[in-house]
Amino acid sequence: MAPRRPKGAGAFPKPVESPAPSRPDPDALYAALDLGTNSCRMLIAQPKGSGIHVVDSFSKSVQLGSGLERTGRLSRSSMSRTIQALRVCQQKIKRNKVHRMRLVATEACRRAKNARDFIRQVKRETGLTLEIIQPEEEARLAVISCAPLVSTRTEQLLVVDIGGGSTELVWIDLSSVPRRDRPAAIMRLHAGFHPPESPFPAAKVVDWISVPLGVATLRDQFSDVEDDAARFALMSWFFEENLADFAPYKDEQLREGFQIVGTSGTVTTVAASHLGLKRYDRTKVDGLRMTSDQIDKVIRTYLELGPQGRRRDPRIGEDRHALIMSGAAILQALLRCWPTDRLSVADRGLREGLLYAQMSADGVLEDGPF
């Protein structure tokens, strides 16, 4: 399937995911739920200065898109698993008395023939109203969640969000934005990739793409290849083929001022493996910069482990072992395509983007220099 493309081409600290010391004002709480192809994840947070303070969270692998590649439909068992997870989310929303929320579904529901029936079933059984968002909004939300990780020296920025069913890439030109304003200019994209005229310096979205290949869909396309190394090579090659039309600066090989920020479970898992963490620690992973050599070394280790070894590796985890090689194939293809030997790791994504966008629209985040 060809990638979908568009027709045309302040400050805040890192979110703190520790329990709140005291019960916050319920009127100040926001919820953001991201129902993807593989996972159901939610954050409940309140604005805190120019950032957010997380008071409750939820994350579970539901494999909503299981079998979707073959049948074009969400299966009865995957919908049942997902509704059970959504019931937990509904209980957390009710317990925290949250009234401001966005609950979104992405690629699996965009593609499934019975997605509308599923959305109605969710409403009927949990009371939650899910909204299926389009690829452009998904990409935009991923971008603004990564604003704190953008270097003031960055002139060309590529943000990559590797999901379960799709991968969003956004290329942004910051060269006309004063250095100290560059992260804030990224944040202002919550109003759209082409926002109305503003007195503030603007980040220019040069191009973006939504490739309908994520860790689950790419794995499923090559599930019939038995050899582990051959399957990995084919997945990486196939993903790179889908990027052929997306390279706004493919003829310019200047490494200076170019930054890639990657947000996904794949990227954070590779980072944790590189650091040798026995127990995942977000504070050590979020914001880490890895070289392409370090990433390649981790991927070679995964290949040497083989399927059984990856299953037993505690750094990968039970929920991730079946998907890590398709994610690594995407990651390796990305680093082959563009002029950088470093990747910034973001343990953040759609949920944080949803929260920042809601709070920015309501005007409850304070402004200030990064």
Side-chain angles (χ1 to χ4, degrees):
M1 181 184 296
R4 288 187 293 273
R5 298 175 59 78
K7 293 180 180 178
F12 39 86
K14 297 175 183 176
V16 179
E17 298 204 14
S18 57
S22 60
R23 186 172 179 80
D25 177 5
D27 290 337
L29 291 181
Y30 290 73
L33 186 144
D34 167 20
L35 177 60
T37 302
N38 192 58
S39 302
C40 175
R41 299 183 294 178
M42 183 181 72
L43 290 177
I44 295 175
Q46 62 185 152
K48 183 179 181 182
S50 53
I52 63 174
H53 176 73
V54 174
V55 300
D56 205 349
S57 64
F58 176 80
S59 180
K60 187 172 182 61
S61 174
V62 294
Q63 300 175 47
L64 178 61
S66 178
L68 177 61
E69 198 72 20
R70 184 181 74 259
T71 66
R73 299 176 64 84
L74 303 175
S75 71
R76 187 171 298 178
S77 58
S78 65
M79 290 191 292
S80 177
R81 284 194 303 271
T82 303
I83 287 174
Q84 289 298 322
L86 289 170
R87 285 198 179 101
V88 177
C89 295
Q90 187 273 338
Q91 291 165 5
K92 287 177 175 285
I93 290 171
K94 183 178 180 181
R95 184 165 63 246
N96 286 284
K97 298 186 172 73
V98 181
H99 301 294
R100 299 172 180 86
M101 68 189 81
R102 277 199 79 189
L103 318 175
V104 306
T106 56
E107 185 68 10
C109 287
R110 286 196 291 262
R111 294 177 60 187
K113 298 172 185 175
N114 58 337
R116 296 294 173 185
D117 293 336
F118 170 64
I119 297 294
R120 285 192 288 269
Q121 184 181 353
V122 168
K123 176 68 173 178
R124 188 168 61 248
E125 297 192 23
T126 70
L128 299 179
T129 302
L130 288 177
E131 170 190 359
I132 303 174
I133 61 172
Q134 293 307 305
E136 179 174 343
E137 183 169 15
E138 183 176 358
R140 188 172 74 243
L141 291 166
V143 166
I144 65 173
S145 76
C146 295
L149 303 181
V150 176
S151 168
T152 56
R153 297 188 298 274
T154 296
E155 302 216 336
Q156 304 296 331
L157 173 69
L158 177 67
V159 176
V160 181
D161 181 15
I162 306 172
S166 65
T167 299
E168 279 67 44
L169 302 95
V170 185
W171 196 297
I172 300 168
D173 184 349
L174 294 164
S175 58
S176 62
V177 180
R179 286 193 171 194
R180 70 186 298 274
D181 293 331
R182 286 173 183 174
I186 297 294
M187 183 66 185
R188 285 193 286 274
L189 291 174
H190 76 84
F193 277 164
H194 303 286
E197 289 296 321
S198 166
F200 300 105
K204 178 186 176 184
V205 176
V206 178
D207 202 359
W208 71 276
I209 190 172
S210 178
V211 182
L213 292 169
V215 294
T217 47
L218 184 60
R219 175 201 61 187
D220 291 349
Q221 288 218 11
F222 291 89
S223 59
D224 59 336
V225 180
E226 293 185 4
D227 184 80
D228 194 46
R231 183 168 57 249
F232 172 78
L234 286 169
M235 289 190 294
S236 189
W237 166 81
F238 185 63
F239 187 84
E240 186 174 342
E241 285 289 297
N242 277 266
L243 296 176
D245 294 332
F246 180 78
Y249 295 95
K250 61 184 176 183
D251 297 326
E252 297 183 24
Q253 295 299 314
L254 299 176
R255 293 174 182 265
E256 192 68 29
F258 181 77
Q259 182 181 5
I260 296 182
V261 178
T263 170
S264 72
T266 294
V267 175
T268 56
T269 300
V270 168
S273 294
H274 164 65
L275 294 172
L277 299 181
K278 294 181 180 178
R279 186 184 183 92
Y280 186 80
D281 185 342
R282 182 183 187 276
T283 62
K284 294 180 179 178
V285 169
D286 188 49
L288 177 71
R289 299 192 75 183
M290 297 184 67
T291 68
S292 53
D293 287 343
Q294 290 168 338
I295 292 170
D296 283 341
K297 183 178 179 182
V298 171
I299 293 174
R300 286 197 304 271
T301 300
Y302 289 163
L303 285 168
E304 289 167 3
L305 285 172
Q308 294 305 316
R310 293 193 294 269
R311 184 189 297 271
R312 293 190 295 267
D313 192 323
R315 299 169 302 174
I316 298 174
E318 292 185 11
D319 289 345
R320 182 64 49 182
H321 75 87
L323 302 169
I324 190 60
M325 293 317 296
S326 51
I330 292 172
L331 191 54
Q332 192 176 76
L334 294 171
L335 291 173
R336 281 200 303 268
C337 290
W338 287 293
T340 185
D341 58 0
R342 289 187 181 274
L343 174 83
S344 299
V345 179
D347 185 353
R348 55 187 72 212
L350 196 54
R351 294 176 301 168
E352 287 84 357
L354 286 163
L355 290 170
Y356 289 141
Q358 289 180 84
M359 293 175 186
S360 295
D362 287 352
V364 295
L365 293 179
E366 296 176 5
D367 293 326
F370 277 78

